Amino acid sequence: MKHQQAVFLQEMGITHWQVRKPTLFKTEEMLKQLNLSVCKLLVVCTEADKSHELMPAILNAFNINADSVVYCSLAQFESQQGTLPDLIWSTIGEIEASGTHQLLHSPSLATLAVNGNAKKVLWKQFCAYQQ
């Protein structure tokens, strides 16, 4: 279930079903709820992007401590319930979230590393968020 759908159901007083024995379902374990209590930036990306050498440089440019960043897959993002951080960055394409969040989009970090124009676009998106 997408985050936006879960929020609508929650607003109507309809609770999301919980699996009693999640260990029986491998996908349920992969989609467990993330701890976003101290998160300033949620990054929706692949494992390759998470470990790419450019990631720490971008976080440093954004002036965001690595401890306040949470990484997740698209499936994890779509299954998230509850409050999301104000800043969400996707390296895997367009994602949907409520209008109260600032969404940054970029190509994968491997593409971003060799494309100066894509870096400028990402930086402009971030600067627009800061204003």
Side-chain angles (χ1 to χ4, degrees), residues 17-127:
W17 286 14
Q18 297 290 326
V19 177
R20 289 184 188 173
K21 297 180 181 179
T23 55
L24 296 176
F25 302 95
K26 292 180 182 176
T27 55
E28 187 70 24
E29 183 64 27
M30 287 174 41
L31 300 179
K32 65 183 176 183
Q33 297 297 299
L34 301 169
N35 180 8
L36 300 176
S37 60
V38 295
C39 180
K40 291 184 181 177
L41 172 65
L42 178 63
V43 182
V44 183
C45 63
T46 62
E47 284 296 320
D49 284 343
K50 179 181 175 180
S51 60
H52 196 278
E53 61 189 22
L54 188 58
M55 183 62 77
I58 291 173
L59 295 179
N60 189 34
F62 287 173
N63 198 22
I64 297 176
N65 189 338
D67 294 336
S68 59
V69 177
V70 174
Y71 302 91
C72 70
S73 67
L74 181 59
Q76 285 176 311
F77 174 76
E78 290 178 343
S79 71
Q80 248 345 90
Q81 297 178 19
T83 305
L84 293 172
D86 292 336
L87 185 59
I88 303 169
W89 173 26
S90 170
T91 65
I92 56 175
E94 297 287 325
I95 57 174
E96 292 182 26
S98 67
T100 61
H101 304 287
Q102 177 66 32
L103 299 175
L104 308 178
H105 300 283
S106 73
S108 69
L109 291 189
T111 304
L112 200 64
V114 296
N115 187 337
N117 192 39
K119 288 179 192 175
K120 287 179 186 177
V121 169
L122 177 61
W123 184 250
K124 286 179 182 178
Q125 291 176 40
F126 181 74
C127 290

